[in-house]
Amino acid sequence: MSLSDRPWLSSYAPGVPAEIDPVTETLVDMLDEAVRAHPRRPALEFFGAVTSYRDLGAEVARAAEGLRRLGVVAGDRVALILPNCPQHVVAFYAVLRLGAIVVEHNPRYTPPELRHQFEVHHARVAIVWDAVADTVAEFPSDIRPAHIVAVRMTDAMPARTRLALRLPVAKARSSRAAMTTRPRAKGVKKWADIVSARPIGRRVPRPELEDVAALQFTSGTTGAPKAAILTHRNLRSNAAQSQAWVPDLVAGHEVFYAVLPLFHAYGLTLCLTTALSVGARIVLFPTFDVSLTLDAMRRTPPTFLAAVPPIYDALARATARAGVDMRSLRNAISGAMTLPPSTVLRWEEATGGIIVEGYGMTESSPISIGNPMGPLRRPGTVGVPFPSTEIRVVDPAEPTRELAAGEEGELLVRGPQVFQGYWNRPEETAAALLDGGWLRTGDIVTVDVDGFVTVVDRLKELIISGGFNISPSEVENALLLHPDIADAAVVGIPRSDGSETVTAAVAMRAGAVFDADEIRSFARGHLAAYKVPRVIDEVETLPRSLVGKVIRRQVREDILTRRGR
């Protein structure tokens, strides 16, 4: 299928260019430009506490110097294990200012999950939520960072909120415990001491466009979690593409809600880098909570939101019950899972704005395709390629053979946002990146004559739950640690909200008693909560191929049959 003439351009919203200008500035340069252009404008808001762009720039400069004094130099990996909070934003840009590499982590991961990731990147310094500091301090000496810096998230809250958390009542104690924990480990440094340094000197070298900016962990296209290498050019380009996709964004006047975690590629690009590229106020939420979001809406109405379908549904229903006006929300982008038509209708009735579905993966920073922000969008599709993005549909068994319009095949993507490969994984990199810079997505799609893409199936067998990619192999390996489980297969069962339910089929050892609740409890000790199977079925045996590989597609079909679906 020849897409060289880019038929989708006629569907672009007015003002969206076919190509973005090649980026010339790093993410650090972009922040500096925002500080120069909007010094007095609010950059961050957290529980009502506001940080201006000028103050944000100054704090990044101090933090960069503090990290330099710890010995961080260009090319070092610095792990961030933080919820959404102002310190996360400051740490992210401070690391980049030194030419070092940010490695993002989910702060809710279990110790085994975090330990596996540290075995991959060997970070020199870890900047962590204080509740996680002791976990990192207990890592084996060969992967334990030289320095652990603990962040007390409550320090960024308004004084009145911090005072309320200190009240001697049960609710205050519970809230305080959920937000901050004093580390017990010796040698853990305080973030407040890092940012107390003088600003970094101008002579300290700055990063270049082709330098690695971040490692983002992903299950990729082949299952096992690995670290995707994203350069300043990759991430800055995707921010420019996202900004171009929404042409009515007004620099210095937008309010972006960061309800998605910044450790996720989707949240990093849509809630942080794109927001800063237009000098927006970023309202940060440490986790999505309906009541916190409603409070923020009453205080600071949002204009732009990036989220997943369940969040849109929850907000539309809650604001209707609470009488909160959402008419300020002109634009919304949904990703990570299928956007149901019912959600579109409910959201647009509530806001009077527009919501569209997009497509991406960590390896493309992450966005490569989106529905036009206007009447030419096509519900049921994920849209058309972003500016400066090319696509091909090929035979997955012979990826050099392009298919005709309407034929099902594997989607390939090429553009300035496509990653550089997987950290220390040359074989996986070679499998994912073809000659010419084409990224194999592992998704089976059809593309119509106008260039609109419809996702049909996934080669990679990842499970999408709550907007997160889950590797079935990772969950299976955790289940097989259970002494009574002889065999296990994990699949995703579609839900009506476009997400999937993590579902396991397990074969028990001879004489063992099947107890789904006990197995789930065991799994929680090895997996983040969202990866733990919600449904566990007992089976006698699992279907396997001639070479002994579990046939997950058959497992899924068997589960659906047993459940009458």
Side-chain angles (χ1 to χ4, degrees):
M1 175 181 182
S2 177
L3 296 171
S4 58
D5 55 351
R6 296 188 289 183
W8 55 80
L9 295 180
S10 61
S11 299
Y12 275 13
V16 177
E19 303 279 343
I20 59 167
D21 293 332
V23 300
T24 58
E25 59 179 11
T26 66
L27 295 176
V28 175
D29 298 330
M30 185 182 75
L31 173 62
D32 290 347
E33 177 55 33
V35 171
R36 285 191 293 269
H38 313 286
R40 294 184 177 84
R41 286 275 305 163
L44 308 175
E45 181 180 319
F46 190 59
F47 288 86
V50 175
T51 304
S52 71
Y53 270 94
R54 176 182 292 161
D55 290 343
L56 173 60
E59 192 157 355
V60 167
R62 292 194 299 272
E65 174 63 15
L67 292 175
R68 190 186 70 82
R69 293 182 183 183
L70 287 184
V72 177
V73 297
D76 281 349
R77 276 80 67 201
V78 178
L80 302 189
I81 314 177
L82 296 165
N84 290 4
C85 57
Q87 297 98 322
H88 192 152
V89 177
V90 172
F92 180 84
Y93 282 98
V95 172
L96 297 183
R97 170 61 184 87
L98 294 169
I101 301 168
V102 170
V103 191
E104 290 281 2
H105 300 269
N106 185 339
R108 298 292 185 182
Y109 268 2
T110 64
E113 289 170 312
L114 286 175
R115 188 164 57 244
H116 167 74
Q117 294 183 341
F118 273 69
E119 290 169 351
V120 172
H121 60 68
H122 293 276
R124 176 180 177 80
V125 173
I127 304 171
V128 309
W129 182 27
D130 55 11
V132 184
D134 289 336
T135 293
V136 178
E138 292 173 1
F139 285 171
S141 59
D142 60 330
I143 62 169
R144 187 185 189 276
H147 302 285
I148 300 171
V149 181
V151 172
R152 188 165 60 186
M153 184 169 53
T154 54
D155 287 349
M157 295 177 176
R160 64 182 182 278
T161 304
R162 297 198 303 271
L163 180 62
L165 290 173
R166 296 192 189 103
L167 293 175
V169 295
K171 184 176 181 180
R173 284 194 296 269
S174 175
S175 297
R176 185 171 65 249
M179 291 184 178
T180 182
T181 301
R182 186 188 298 272
R184 299 185 305 274
K186 294 181 180 179
V188 174
K189 295 175 171 57
K190 296 180 180 179
W191 174 252
D193 294 335
I194 299 298
V195 295
S196 66
R198 59 179 173 81
I200 193 168
R202 293 184 179 181
R203 293 184 179 180
V204 177
R206 299 168 68 87
E208 303 289 338
L209 265 178
E210 304 306 333
D211 288 344
V212 179
L215 300 181
Q216 288 273 11
F217 276 91
T218 173
S219 293
T221 61
T222 56
K226 55 187 72 70
I229 303 169
L230 300 172
T231 63
H232 284 264
R233 185 186 297 278
N234 293 148
L235 291 169
R236 180 65 186 95
S237 294
N238 208 220
Q241 292 167 313
S242 302
Q243 178 184 352
W245 200 245
V246 191
D248 65 345
L249 292 175
V250 181
H253 293 278
E254 301 295 335
V255 178
F256 280 49
Y257 270 23
V259 298
L260 297 172
L262 299 183
F263 63 76
H264 193 285
Y266 184 23
L268 180 64
T269 289
L270 268 299
C271 299
L272 181 57
T273 58
T274 302
L276 285 181
S277 75
V278 296
R281 178 194 294 230
I282 304 171
V283 181
L284 295 157
F285 300 86
T287 186
F288 174 67
D289 179 271
V290 170
S291 62
L292 286 179
T293 309
L294 293 182
D295 288 344
M297 284 181 168
R298 296 184 182 99
R299 182 175 60 244
T300 309
T303 63
F304 178 91
L305 183 63
V308 293
I311 289 179
Y312 287 116
D313 267 329
L315 285 179
R317 296 177 189 276
T319 53
R321 290 193 300 269
V324 175
D325 187 2
M326 289 203 299
R327 309 295 287 188
S328 62
L329 268 162
R330 306 190 314 275
N331 299 295
I333 294 180
S334 179
M337 62 183 74
T338 302
L339 178 64
S342 58
T343 301
V344 175
L345 180 63
R346 186 176 297 114
W347 182 260
E348 295 189 346
E349 285 181 347
T351 65
I354 187 170
I355 182 173
V356 299
E357 184 172 0
Y359 168 91
M361 54 195 300
T362 301
E363 290 87 344
S364 58
S365 299
I367 311 171
S368 55
I369 294 170
N371 258 287
M373 302 293 291
L376 295 181
R377 61 186 172 157
R378 294 188 187 174
T381 75
V382 293
V384 297
F386 261 28
S388 297
T389 302
E390 302 171 83
I391 62 172
R392 295 172 63 195
V393 179
V394 301
D395 180 346
E398 190 180 343
T400 58
R401 186 171 74 86
E402 203 160 353
L403 303 180
E407 287 191 272
E408 291 186 6
E410 184 179 0
L411 175 68
L412 306 186
V413 172
R414 181 167 70 178
Q417 72 273 48
V418 170
F419 81 142
Q420 307 305 300
Y422 298 112
W423 188 259
N424 291 334
R425 294 286 191 92
E427 293 183 3
E428 286 89 341
T429 296
L433 284 175
L434 303 180
D435 290 344
W438 289 98
L439 169 65
R440 296 192 67 170
T441 67
D443 284 319
I444 300 299
V445 304
T446 60
V447 180
D448 66 22
V449 293
D450 296 325
F452 279 80
V453 179
T454 300
V455 178
V456 178
D457 201 355
R458 290 197 302 276
L459 287 176
K460 53 199 176 192
E461 295 186 330
L462 293 180
I463 301 167
I464 299 178
S465 179
F468 291 96
N469 287 352
I470 300 170
S471 163
S473 298
E474 183 181 10
V475 181
E476 289 164 358
N477 290 338
L479 292 175
L480 289 171
L481 294 173
H482 193 292
D484 290 337
I485 294 179
D487 206 357
V490 174
V491 298
I493 301 300
R495 290 165 37 182
S496 60
D497 64 2
S499 183
E500 292 175 309
T501 299
V502 183
T503 304
V506 299
M508 307 301 291
R509 297 190 185 279
V513 176
F514 172 75
D515 184 334
D517 289 338
E518 190 276 331
I519 293 172
R520 267 189 293 271
S521 178
F522 176 86
R524 290 189 190 100
H526 300 272
L527 298 166
Y530 69 88
K531 298 179 185 178
V532 174
R534 298 295 186 269
V535 176
I536 303 177
D537 284 358
E538 183 182 15
V539 296
E540 290 188 10
T541 59
L542 292 172
R544 292 185 177 273
S545 68
L546 293 176
V547 296
K549 185 177 180 180
V550 171
I551 306 172
R552 292 198 182 103
R553 181 172 295 180
Q554 184 62 53
V555 172
R556 183 183 297 107
E557 291 174 358
D558 291 346
I559 291 171
L560 290 173
T561 299
R562 284 197 297 272
R563 297 179 180 277
R565 294 174 63 179

